Amino acid sequence: MEKKHLIDPMDFSVKELDEIFELAHQIIEDPKKFSKICDGKILATLFYEPSTRTRFSFEAAMMRLGGKILGFSEPNSSSASKGETLADTIKMVSIYTDIIAMRHPKEGSARVASIYSNVPIINAGDGGHQHPTQTLADLLTIESLKMGLKGHTVGICGDLRYGRTVHSLIKAMTRYEDTKFILISPKELKIPDYIREEFIKKNNIEFKEVERLEEVIAELDILYMTRIQKERFFNEEEYLRLKDSYILDEEKMKIAKEDMIVMHPLPRVNEISMEVDNDRRAAYFKEAEYGMYVRMALMCKLLEVI
Ligand code: CP
C-alpha cells in the first residue's frame, strides 16, 4: 500500500479498503497469528479531545499486534498547554514513534499534521469534519452483517450537520453501487451543503431528506443513529431544544424490517433506548468491536509489516 496517511475516507480506493477488510477478517479468525507482527513498533495517540472507543481501540489494537503505545488523552498534560504548535508537537512525536493517531477539535488539523510528520498520521477525528477510522469500522460492520456494501438503503438520523462520522460515512458509501440515503434530521441539523452537492448529487445517488424517523424507518436496511453533538453548538439553548429530537425505542423498532441493522458510532446519550440493546438488530457494540480489528488491519498496512 503506497498511502502514507489516513486523513480522509477517500484516501483509500475501494480496492485498498477491501484489502483492509480482508486482513481484518483474517485477524478476527486467527488473532494469535498477528500477535507479534508489530514487535518493535510504537503508536502515539495524541488526543486533544475526549474519547473512549477510538483511543482505547487504537491502543488495544497496537498492543494486540505486539507493539507499544505512548501519548496523551488530554492536551493539558502535554506542552500544547505551554503554547507549543501542532507542527512542533508532530515533528517531535514523529521522531519518537512509528505511527500517530490524532484527534483534534480543529477541522483540517490532521492534514496539517501530515505535512510535518515523518511517520503515518491517522485522523482519529478533526472537529466536525471527518472521522475516517470510524468509517472503516462502519463499513466493516455493514460488509460483515449485511453481506456486502452494495445496494443498501441507509438511513442516517440525528445531528447530520456536526456529526463527523456522518460526513465520512456518506462520502465512503457513495462509491458503492445502488446506495440510497434517507437523511433524517431537524432542519437546523441537515448535512452540510458540500456533502449534499459534491458527494451525493454529483454521484447521482438517490436520496431524500426528512424530519420524522417514523415516516421512513420501514424502508431502511441500515439505520445509523447519531448523538446531537453538544460540544459543537454555539448556543446552549438551541442544543437543549434539539437534544432529544430522536429516540429510537422498541415501538419504533416494531415498524422496521426484520433484517435492518441499527448502528451508532457511540457514545450515545438518549437517542437509543437501552431496551433496544436486547434487539438482535442492534449492531452498535459489534461495530465498536470491529473498530478495533479494522484499526489493527489499518496499522499493519500503513506500517507495511504485511
Ligand atoms: N465513535 C467514537 O469516535 O467514539 P469516541 O469519541 O469514544 O472515541
Side-chain angles (χ1 to χ4, degrees), residues 47 49-57 103 124-125 131 133-134 138 164-165 224 227 231 264-267 287-288 295:
F47 276 64
E49 272 193 340
S51 168
T52 297
R53 272 145 298 275
T54 311
R55 185 169 67 86
F56 288 163
S57 67
R103 172 172 289 186
H131 192 346
T133 65
Q134 179 63 47
D138 298 341
R164 56 192 171 198
T165 67
Y224 192 91
R227 175 177 67 90
E231 64 276 29
H264 191 310
L266 305 176
E287 183 182 350
R295 288 178 176 107

mmCIF file of all heavy atoms in Angstrom, residues 47 49-57 103 124-125 131 133-134 138 164-165 224 227 231 264-267 287-288 295, ligand 1:
data_model
loop_
_atom_site.group_PDB
_atom_site.id
_atom_site.type_symbol
_atom_site.label_atom_id
_atom_site.label_comp_id
_atom_site.label_asym_id
_atom_site.label_seq_id
_atom_site.Cartn_x
_atom_site.Cartn_y
_atom_site.Cartn_z
ATOM 1 N N PHE A 47 -4.514 12.830 21.730
ATOM 2 C CA PHE A 47 -5.944 13.137 21.788
ATOM 3 C C PHE A 47 -6.150 14.490 22.462
ATOM 4 O O PHE A 47 -6.047 14.610 23.679
ATOM 5 C CB PHE A 47 -6.719 12.000 22.458
ATOM 6 C CG PHE A 47 -7.049 10.900 21.472
ATOM 7 C CD1 PHE A 47 -6.044 10.165 20.871
ATOM 8 C CD2 PHE A 47 -8.363 10.647 21.107
ATOM 9 C CE1 PHE A 47 -6.331 9.193 19.921
ATOM 10 C CE2 PHE A 47 -8.663 9.676 20.159
ATOM 11 C CZ PHE A 47 -7.653 8.936 19.561
ATOM 12 N N GLU A 49 -8.984 15.926 22.241
ATOM 13 C CA GLU A 49 -10.418 15.910 22.569
ATOM 14 C C GLU A 49 -10.717 14.571 23.232
ATOM 15 O O GLU A 49 -10.014 13.591 22.976
ATOM 16 C CB GLU A 49 -11.257 15.955 21.285
ATOM 17 C CG GLU A 49 -11.585 17.320 20.772
ATOM 18 C CD GLU A 49 -12.681 17.254 19.695
ATOM 19 O OE1 GLU A 49 -12.910 16.180 19.104
ATOM 20 O OE2 GLU A 49 -13.302 18.296 19.471
ATOM 21 N N PRO A 50 -11.795 14.505 24.048
ATOM 22 C CA PRO A 50 -12.108 13.246 24.740
ATOM 23 C C PRO A 50 -12.432 12.088 23.790
ATOM 24 O O PRO A 50 -12.882 12.314 22.669
ATOM 25 C CB PRO A 50 -13.352 13.587 25.563
ATOM 26 C CG PRO A 50 -13.419 15.066 25.605
ATOM 27 C CD PRO A 50 -12.740 15.572 24.380
ATOM 28 N N SER A 51 -12.206 10.896 24.281
ATOM 29 C CA SER A 51 -12.519 9.682 23.505
ATOM 30 C C SER A 51 -12.532 8.488 24.445
ATOM 31 O O SER A 51 -11.747 8.428 25.393
ATOM 32 C CB SER A 51 -11.441 9.466 22.440
ATOM 33 O OG SER A 51 -11.545 8.179 21.862
ATOM 34 N N THR A 52 -13.386 7.530 24.157
ATOM 35 C CA THR A 52 -13.282 6.215 24.800
ATOM 36 C C THR A 52 -12.910 5.183 23.735
ATOM 37 O O THR A 52 -11.821 4.617 23.747
ATOM 38 C CB THR A 52 -14.604 5.824 25.485
ATOM 39 O OG1 THR A 52 -14.872 6.769 26.512
ATOM 40 C CG2 THR A 52 -14.519 4.430 26.107
ATOM 41 N N ARG A 53 -13.812 4.977 22.783
ATOM 42 C CA ARG A 53 -13.624 3.913 21.791
ATOM 43 C C ARG A 53 -12.393 4.101 20.911
ATOM 44 O O ARG A 53 -11.600 3.171 20.725
ATOM 45 C CB ARG A 53 -14.844 3.827 20.840
ATOM 46 C CG ARG A 53 -15.947 2.950 21.309
ATOM 47 C CD ARG A 53 -17.248 3.562 20.883
ATOM 48 N NE ARG A 53 -17.369 4.860 21.515
ATOM 49 C CZ ARG A 53 -17.843 5.028 22.745
ATOM 50 N NH1 ARG A 53 -18.274 4.008 23.416
ATOM 51 N NH2 ARG A 53 -17.889 6.235 23.300
ATOM 52 N N THR A 54 -12.264 5.275 20.339
ATOM 53 C CA THR A 54 -11.221 5.439 19.318
ATOM 54 C C THR A 54 -9.837 5.278 19.937
ATOM 55 O O THR A 54 -8.999 4.530 19.440
ATOM 56 C CB THR A 54 -11.362 6.806 18.619
ATOM 57 O OG1 THR A 54 -12.726 6.953 18.224
ATOM 58 C CG2 THR A 54 -10.463 6.905 17.406
ATOM 59 N N ARG A 55 -9.610 5.986 21.054
ATOM 60 C CA ARG A 55 -8.276 5.901 21.662
ATOM 61 C C ARG A 55 -8.005 4.495 22.200
ATOM 62 O O ARG A 55 -6.967 3.902 21.909
ATOM 63 C CB ARG A 55 -8.112 6.937 22.774
ATOM 64 C CG ARG A 55 -6.689 6.971 23.348
ATOM 65 C CD ARG A 55 -6.474 8.156 24.249
ATOM 66 N NE ARG A 55 -7.242 8.095 25.470
ATOM 67 C CZ ARG A 55 -6.861 7.480 26.587
ATOM 68 N NH1 ARG A 55 -5.699 6.841 26.630
ATOM 69 N NH2 ARG A 55 -7.624 7.494 27.665
ATOM 70 N N PHE A 56 -8.963 3.967 22.981
ATOM 71 C CA PHE A 56 -8.716 2.640 23.555
ATOM 72 C C PHE A 56 -8.586 1.574 22.473
ATOM 73 O O PHE A 56 -7.777 0.654 22.578
ATOM 74 C CB PHE A 56 -9.831 2.251 24.533
ATOM 75 C CG PHE A 56 -9.785 3.020 25.836
ATOM 76 C CD1 PHE A 56 -10.899 3.054 26.667
ATOM 77 C CD2 PHE A 56 -8.647 3.700 26.242
ATOM 78 C CE1 PHE A 56 -10.871 3.757 27.872
ATOM 79 C CE2 PHE A 56 -8.611 4.401 27.437
ATOM 80 C CZ PHE A 56 -9.730 4.432 28.255
ATOM 81 N N SER A 57 -9.393 1.684 21.427
ATOM 82 C CA SER A 57 -9.315 0.636 20.394
ATOM 83 C C SER A 57 -8.004 0.732 19.622
ATOM 84 O O SER A 57 -7.430 -0.291 19.244
ATOM 85 C CB SER A 57 -10.527 0.668 19.463
ATOM 86 O OG SER A 57 -10.541 1.835 18.695
ATOM 87 N N ARG A 103 -6.493 13.007 17.405
ATOM 88 C CA ARG A 103 -7.828 13.653 17.424
ATOM 89 C C ARG A 103 -7.645 15.091 17.874
ATOM 90 O O ARG A 103 -6.942 15.356 18.862
ATOM 91 C CB ARG A 103 -8.769 12.917 18.368
ATOM 92 C CG ARG A 103 -10.083 13.655 18.557
ATOM 93 C CD ARG A 103 -11.094 12.846 19.322
ATOM 94 N NE ARG A 103 -11.595 11.737 18.519
ATOM 95 C CZ ARG A 103 -12.583 10.930 18.914
ATOM 96 N NH1 ARG A 103 -13.160 11.104 20.091
ATOM 97 N NH2 ARG A 103 -13.002 9.953 18.129
ATOM 98 N N ALA A 124 -8.018 10.655 13.735
ATOM 99 C CA ALA A 124 -8.972 9.996 14.654
ATOM 100 C C ALA A 124 -10.125 10.949 14.988
ATOM 101 O O ALA A 124 -10.795 10.788 16.008
ATOM 102 C CB ALA A 124 -8.231 9.555 15.911
ATOM 103 N N GLY A 125 -10.353 11.915 14.090
ATOM 104 C CA GLY A 125 -11.440 12.889 14.265
ATOM 105 C C GLY A 125 -10.882 14.292 14.286
ATOM 106 O O GLY A 125 -10.062 14.606 15.155
ATOM 107 N N HIS A 131 -14.026 11.563 10.260
ATOM 108 C CA HIS A 131 -13.596 10.551 11.229
ATOM 109 C C HIS A 131 -13.406 9.251 10.444
ATOM 110 O O HIS A 131 -14.200 8.310 10.558
ATOM 111 C CB HIS A 131 -14.668 10.398 12.305
ATOM 112 C CG HIS A 131 -14.258 9.612 13.525
ATOM 113 N ND1 HIS A 131 -13.121 8.821 13.577
ATOM 114 C CD2 HIS A 131 -14.850 9.485 14.737
ATOM 115 C CE1 HIS A 131 -13.044 8.250 14.774
ATOM 116 N NE2 HIS A 131 -14.079 8.637 15.496
ATOM 117 N N THR A 133 -11.497 6.572 10.505
ATOM 118 C CA THR A 133 -11.378 5.202 11.048
ATOM 119 C C THR A 133 -12.703 4.724 11.618
ATOM 120 O O THR A 133 -12.947 3.520 11.687
ATOM 121 C CB THR A 133 -10.245 5.049 12.089
ATOM 122 O OG1 THR A 133 -10.530 5.831 13.248
ATOM 123 C CG2 THR A 133 -8.896 5.430 11.513
ATOM 124 N N GLN A 134 -13.590 5.649 12.032
ATOM 125 C CA GLN A 134 -14.939 5.221 12.392
ATOM 126 C C GLN A 134 -15.629 4.669 11.144
ATOM 127 O O GLN A 134 -16.334 3.659 11.195
ATOM 128 C CB GLN A 134 -15.748 6.392 12.969
ATOM 129 C CG GLN A 134 -17.175 6.014 13.348
ATOM 130 C CD GLN A 134 -17.253 4.964 14.444
ATOM 131 O OE1 GLN A 134 -16.568 5.067 15.457
ATOM 132 N NE2 GLN A 134 -18.074 3.931 14.246
ATOM 133 N N ASP A 138 -17.455 1.240 10.466
ATOM 134 C CA ASP A 138 -18.830 1.199 9.948
ATOM 135 C C ASP A 138 -18.917 0.315 8.707
ATOM 136 O O ASP A 138 -19.830 -0.507 8.574
ATOM 137 C CB ASP A 138 -19.308 2.619 9.591
ATOM 138 C CG ASP A 138 -19.352 3.540 10.799
ATOM 139 O OD1 ASP A 138 -19.380 3.043 11.934
ATOM 140 O OD2 ASP A 138 -19.357 4.776 10.605
ATOM 141 N N ARG A 164 -19.212 14.239 12.534
ATOM 142 C CA ARG A 164 -18.125 13.939 11.586
ATOM 143 C C ARG A 164 -18.212 12.510 11.052
ATOM 144 O O ARG A 164 -17.820 12.237 9.918
ATOM 145 C CB ARG A 164 -16.768 14.197 12.247
ATOM 146 C CG ARG A 164 -16.524 13.445 13.537
ATOM 147 C CD ARG A 164 -15.306 13.988 14.263
ATOM 148 N NE ARG A 164 -15.163 13.430 15.604
ATOM 149 C CZ ARG A 164 -14.419 13.985 16.541
ATOM 150 N NH1 ARG A 164 -13.754 15.097 16.317
ATOM 151 N NH2 ARG A 164 -14.328 13.417 17.726
ATOM 152 N N THR A 165 -18.745 11.602 11.857
ATOM 153 C CA THR A 165 -18.845 10.216 11.371
ATOM 154 C C THR A 165 -19.838 10.138 10.213
ATOM 155 O O THR A 165 -19.676 9.331 9.313
ATOM 156 C CB THR A 165 -19.297 9.246 12.483
ATOM 157 O OG1 THR A 165 -20.642 9.534 12.852
ATOM 158 C CG2 THR A 165 -18.414 9.349 13.709
ATOM 159 N N TYR A 224 -28.526 4.359 10.896
ATOM 160 C CA TYR A 224 -27.310 4.866 11.550
ATOM 161 C C TYR A 224 -27.732 6.036 12.429
ATOM 162 O O TYR A 224 -28.001 7.138 11.937
ATOM 163 C CB TYR A 224 -26.320 5.302 10.463
ATOM 164 C CG TYR A 224 -24.907 5.581 10.930
ATOM 165 C CD1 TYR A 224 -23.948 4.575 10.936
ATOM 166 C CD2 TYR A 224 -24.518 6.850 11.335
ATOM 167 C CE1 TYR A 224 -22.642 4.821 11.339
ATOM 168 C CE2 TYR A 224 -23.207 7.108 11.741
ATOM 169 C CZ TYR A 224 -22.281 6.081 11.738
ATOM 170 O OH TYR A 224 -20.975 6.335 12.133
ATOM 171 N N ARG A 227 -25.594 10.939 17.865
ATOM 172 C CA ARG A 227 -25.793 11.830 19.015
ATOM 173 C C ARG A 227 -25.860 13.277 18.533
ATOM 174 O O ARG A 227 -25.160 13.646 17.585
ATOM 175 C CB ARG A 227 -24.582 11.632 19.940
ATOM 176 C CG ARG A 227 -24.462 12.512 21.136
ATOM 177 C CD ARG A 227 -23.220 12.100 21.945
ATOM 178 N NE ARG A 227 -21.977 12.355 21.239
ATOM 179 C CZ ARG A 227 -21.278 13.487 21.312
ATOM 180 N NH1 ARG A 227 -21.687 14.500 22.067
ATOM 181 N NH2 ARG A 227 -20.151 13.630 20.646
ATOM 182 N N GLU A 231 -20.980 19.516 22.005
ATOM 183 C CA GLU A 231 -19.728 20.279 22.039
ATOM 184 C C GLU A 231 -19.511 21.179 20.817
ATOM 185 O O GLU A 231 -18.633 22.031 20.829
ATOM 186 C CB GLU A 231 -18.534 19.330 22.218
ATOM 187 C CG GLU A 231 -18.270 18.341 21.090
ATOM 188 C CD GLU A 231 -19.092 17.055 21.163
ATOM 189 O OE1 GLU A 231 -20.215 17.068 21.701
ATOM 190 O OE2 GLU A 231 -18.607 16.031 20.626
ATOM 191 N N HIS A 264 -24.522 2.872 15.395
ATOM 192 C CA HIS A 264 -24.305 4.146 16.097
ATOM 193 C C HIS A 264 -22.806 4.197 16.388
ATOM 194 O O HIS A 264 -22.240 3.220 16.891
ATOM 195 C CB HIS A 264 -25.106 4.167 17.408
ATOM 196 C CG HIS A 264 -25.169 5.522 18.075
ATOM 197 N ND1 HIS A 264 -24.056 6.295 18.321
ATOM 198 C CD2 HIS A 264 -26.225 6.239 18.536
ATOM 199 C CE1 HIS A 264 -24.428 7.428 18.913
ATOM 200 N NE2 HIS A 264 -25.740 7.425 19.051
ATOM 201 N N PRO A 265 -22.145 5.307 16.071
ATOM 202 C CA PRO A 265 -20.698 5.354 16.343
ATOM 203 C C PRO A 265 -20.399 5.356 17.839
ATOM 204 O O PRO A 265 -19.284 5.048 18.241
ATOM 205 C CB PRO A 265 -20.251 6.661 15.687
ATOM 206 C CG PRO A 265 -21.492 7.508 15.591
ATOM 207 C CD PRO A 265 -22.632 6.549 15.441
ATOM 208 N N LEU A 266 -21.393 5.721 18.646
ATOM 209 C CA LEU A 266 -21.256 5.861 20.097
ATOM 210 C C LEU A 266 -20.254 6.986 20.417
ATOM 211 O O LEU A 266 -19.382 7.246 19.590
ATOM 212 C CB LEU A 266 -20.866 4.550 20.769
ATOM 213 C CG LEU A 266 -21.803 3.356 20.485
ATOM 214 C CD1 LEU A 266 -21.246 2.092 21.141
ATOM 215 C CD2 LEU A 266 -23.221 3.628 20.980
ATOM 216 N N PRO A 267 -20.304 7.680 21.526
ATOM 217 C CA PRO A 267 -21.205 7.411 22.634
ATOM 218 C C PRO A 267 -22.650 7.846 22.316
ATOM 219 O O PRO A 267 -22.861 8.774 21.559
ATOM 220 C CB PRO A 267 -20.630 8.297 23.748
ATOM 221 C CG PRO A 267 -19.973 9.436 23.033
ATOM 222 C CD PRO A 267 -19.425 8.850 21.774
ATOM 223 N N GLU A 287 -20.163 -3.118 16.218
ATOM 224 C CA GLU A 287 -19.487 -2.102 15.387
ATOM 225 C C GLU A 287 -18.225 -1.584 16.106
ATOM 226 O O GLU A 287 -17.162 -1.430 15.495
ATOM 227 C CB GLU A 287 -20.508 -0.976 15.181
ATOM 228 C CG GLU A 287 -20.161 0.175 14.316
ATOM 229 C CD GLU A 287 -21.350 1.183 14.315
ATOM 230 O OE1 GLU A 287 -22.450 0.880 14.826
ATOM 231 O OE2 GLU A 287 -21.144 2.298 13.805
ATOM 232 N N ALA A 288 -18.339 -1.345 17.405
ATOM 233 C CA ALA A 288 -17.186 -0.863 18.181
ATOM 234 C C ALA A 288 -16.102 -1.946 18.252
ATOM 235 O O ALA A 288 -14.899 -1.653 18.219
ATOM 236 C CB ALA A 288 -17.628 -0.453 19.575
ATOM 237 N N ARG A 295 -8.758 -1.346 12.915
ATOM 238 C CA ARG A 295 -7.591 -0.481 13.207
ATOM 239 C C ARG A 295 -6.316 -1.319 13.262
ATOM 240 O O ARG A 295 -5.235 -0.847 12.891
ATOM 241 C CB ARG A 295 -7.829 0.308 14.499
ATOM 242 C CG ARG A 295 -8.881 1.403 14.297
ATOM 243 C CD ARG A 295 -9.202 2.195 15.556
ATOM 244 N NE ARG A 295 -10.126 3.271 15.251
ATOM 245 C CZ ARG A 295 -11.427 3.292 15.585
ATOM 246 N NH1 ARG A 295 -11.971 2.312 16.282
ATOM 247 N NH2 ARG A 295 -12.196 4.296 15.223
HETATM 248 N N1 CP B 1 -17.007 6.656 17.958
HETATM 249 C C1 CP B 1 -16.114 7.417 18.614
HETATM 250 O O1 CP B 1 -15.356 8.193 17.998
HETATM 251 O O2 CP B 1 -16.146 7.273 19.969
HETATM 252 P P1 CP B 1 -15.156 8.016 20.992
HETATM 253 O O3 CP B 1 -15.482 9.503 20.921
HETATM 254 O O4 CP B 1 -15.443 7.425 22.320
HETATM 255 O O5 CP B 1 -13.756 7.781 20.534
#
